[in-house]
């Protein structure tokens, strides 16, 4: 009986670990000027799926990751794409488009479950970014914090959010 319980527990542990790794939580932290910037997100993988316009529909608000809301935190006040953003933690949303110009939203509501809890009335700022198509596929979604802002990379789409 102990052997059966152990086997079942082991199978459950393996299944849970496998499921959890499909879109693991990830964090990108770095310095932009004198300010620490952190992006906390679920990192989905492409896994042979059509991402843009299918898994992530065009012209609809997307949580910029998987599972829980993607958030971005600033230790001090920042200028994000020319707009003043007070220190704090914000929901980070993206509205993909078929063209090169997408919309990025920083929401005062940072604890929604994905896009379901999104409401435009909570927007702190909205701004446009230019996307670039990469030659090489990025299998897993990543955010990178650089000296001048945050870069988004997934599938063949890249864009940069300038900050100072």
């Amino acid at each position: 009986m102990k052997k059966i319980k152990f086997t079942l527990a082991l199978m459950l542990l393996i299944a849970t670990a496998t499921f959890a790794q499909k879109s693991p939580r990830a964090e990108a932290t770095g310095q932009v000027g004198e300010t620490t910037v952190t992006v906390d997100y679920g990192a989905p993988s492409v896994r042979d799926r059509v991402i843009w316009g299918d898994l992530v529909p065009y012209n609809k608000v997307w949580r910029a990751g998987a599972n829980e809301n993607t958030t971005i935190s600033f230790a001090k006040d920042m200028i994000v794409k020319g707009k003043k953003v007070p220190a704090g933690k914000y929901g980070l949303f993206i509205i993909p488009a078929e063209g090169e110009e997408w919309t990025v939203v920083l929401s005062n509501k940072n604890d929604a479950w994905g896009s379901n809890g999104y409401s435009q009335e909570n927007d702190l700022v909205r701004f446009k970014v230019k996307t670039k198509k990469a030659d090489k596929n990025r299998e897993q979604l990543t955010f990178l914090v650089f000296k001048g802002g945050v870069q988004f990379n997934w599938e063949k789409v890249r864009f940069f959010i300038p900050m100072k």
Side-chain angles (χ1 to χ4, degrees):
M1 187 65 162
K2 284 184 179 181
K3 188 174 183 177
I4 292 172
K5 285 183 180 180
F6 174 78
T7 303
L8 288 173
L10 183 60
M11 288 172 57
L12 180 61
L13 179 65
I14 291 168
T16 301
T18 300
F19 178 75
Q21 290 305 310
K22 290 191 178 186
S23 296
R25 289 308 288 177
E27 188 175 275
T29 300
Q31 292 296 118
V32 177
E34 296 178 8
T35 303
T36 301
V37 175
T38 302
V39 181
D40 181 24
Y41 61 101
S45 295
V46 174
R47 293 193 310 265
D48 295 321
R49 299 180 289 182
V50 175
I51 302 302
W52 309 114
D54 189 26
L55 180 67
V56 179
Y58 290 127
N59 305 313
K60 293 193 179 214
V61 173
W62 176 56
R63 63 185 156 210
N67 305 324
E68 295 176 50
N69 206 58
T70 296
T71 61
I72 187 165
S73 303
F74 306 105
K76 297 180 182 177
D77 294 356
M78 297 288 293
I79 303 296
V80 179
K81 187 77 189 227
K83 300 175 188 272
K84 184 173 173 145
V85 176
K89 182 177 180 180
Y90 301 94
L92 176 61
F93 296 93
I94 298 169
I95 304 172
E98 289 187 61
E100 294 178 354
E101 192 172 76
W102 290 14
T103 302
V104 175
V105 178
L106 300 186
S107 173
N108 286 308
K109 183 164 179 56
N110 63 31
D111 61 354
W113 178 263
S115 304
N116 297 337
Y118 172 80
S119 174
Q120 191 169 349
E121 69 186 30
N122 293 318
D123 288 4
L124 175 68
V125 296
R126 263 179 186 243
F127 51 87
K128 300 287 187 181
V129 293
K130 293 276 188 189
T131 63
K132 294 182 180 180
K133 290 283 185 188
D135 293 333
K136 188 175 178 188
N137 189 51
R138 170 73 68 160
E139 176 64 24
Q140 191 169 49
L141 183 146
T142 58
F143 285 89
L144 302 168
V145 180
F146 292 105
K147 183 178 176 181
V150 172
Q151 183 173 343
F152 170 94
N153 303 287
W154 195 30
E155 199 249 0
K156 290 188 176 182
V157 173
R158 315 281 184 265
F159 65 80
F160 189 72
I161 304 170
M163 302 175 184
K164 59 181 176 176

